[in-house]
Amino acid sequence: MDILYTVDEKYLQGIEELHYGELPKALHIFNEIINIDPGYARAYYQLGCFYYYQFKNYQTAGFYFKKCIELEAEFPDVYTDYLKLLVTLKMYKSVELIAEKALLVPGVGKAEIYGQLGLNAEMQHDFVLAKEKYKLALLATDSDTDHVLFKDHLKRVDDKLHAKKSMVYAYQS
């Protein structure tokens, strides 16, 4: 007997199953939610996370993340995971567009967004831009752990910048 009456209650049950490590049950619940209410954006987000992190099915994960944003653009949680996926897939232009949109949404972790932008620039070997984005991430963070992480990113980018410089040899006689 199903004692849950609303889609929100079903969603909370799915989240609870996730926290208890019951992935198959949670996956079933989120799919059930979409069957009941195809406009319930947060279920699409959770399915996107499943396909990205658990199944490594990036195309399907991208579909669900994109669908979530289409249905509820003000849902802040989706942006970080979607950007991670786009960076992983090296979809550089899409990263810029989604990040721009994400920075306007209240509740989005700006430090994480700037961090993904830094990684995106670093992957394209634009170390100056990467350094700029990591500095913005450093300024936006309020966590000591993230502060250390972004400082490490900055050090790594500085090392890459120095490695990229050409060597000048001085002749001595």
Side-chain angles (χ1 to χ4, degrees), residues 57-110:
N57 183 337
Y58 300 140
Q59 184 176 7
T60 305
F63 166 78
Y64 283 122
F65 288 144
K66 191 174 181 180
K67 185 73 172 172
C68 176
I69 291 171
E70 287 172 8
L71 292 171
E72 190 179 342
E74 296 297 311
F75 181 54
D77 295 358
V78 71
Y79 288 99
T80 303
D81 294 304
Y82 191 32
L83 280 174
K84 285 179 184 177
L85 173 66
L86 294 173
V87 169
T88 299
L89 296 176
K90 299 179 181 176
M91 298 177 74
Y92 303 124
K93 291 185 194 279
S94 295
V95 170
E96 298 292 329
L97 294 172
I98 295 299
E100 188 178 307
K101 196 180 215 183
L103 290 170
L104 300 174
V105 175
V108 168
K110 291 187 183 349

Side-chain angles (χ1 to χ4, degrees), residues 41-163:
R42 293 161 192 239
Y44 287 99
Y45 165 68
Q46 293 297 335
L47 287 170
C49 288
F50 264 103
Y51 281 95
Y52 180 39
Y53 297 110
Q54 304 301 323
F55 302 132
K56 307 291 186 214
N57 183 337
Y58 300 140
Q59 184 176 7
T60 305
F63 166 78
Y64 283 122
F65 288 144
K66 191 174 181 180
K67 185 73 172 172
C68 176
I69 291 171
E70 287 172 8
L71 292 171
E72 190 179 342
E74 296 297 311
F75 181 54
D77 295 358
V78 71
Y79 288 99
T80 303
D81 294 304
Y82 191 32
L83 280 174
K84 285 179 184 177
L85 173 66
L86 294 173
V87 169
T88 299
L89 296 176
K90 299 179 181 176
M91 298 177 74
Y92 303 124
K93 291 185 194 279
S94 295
V95 170
E96 298 292 329
L97 294 172
I98 295 299
E100 188 178 307
K101 196 180 215 183
L103 290 170
L104 300 174
V105 175
V108 168
K110 291 187 183 349
E112 295 170 335
I113 302 301
Y114 286 127
Q116 289 303 312
L117 285 170
L119 183 58
N120 188 49
E122 190 176 350
M123 289 175 69
Q124 295 178 70
H125 298 270
D126 187 348
F127 302 123
V128 174
L129 180 61
K131 190 173 179 179
E132 179 186 315
K133 296 302 180 184
Y134 286 139
K135 282 181 181 178
L136 288 170
L138 192 62
L139 291 172
T141 189
D142 56 0
S143 159
D144 288 338
T145 307
D146 288 344
H147 188 80
V148 170
L149 176 70
F150 292 127
K151 279 189 142 186
D152 289 345
H153 289 331
L154 280 168
K155 183 184 178 326
R156 183 184 65 243
V157 169
D158 273 338
D159 291 346
K160 288 180 179 182
L161 272 170
H162 292 320

Side-chain angles (χ1 to χ4, degrees), residues 14-26:
I15 297 296
E16 190 174 307
E17 296 295 349
L18 277 178
H19 287 292
Y20 286 116
E22 297 291 336
L23 300 180
K25 285 182 184 177

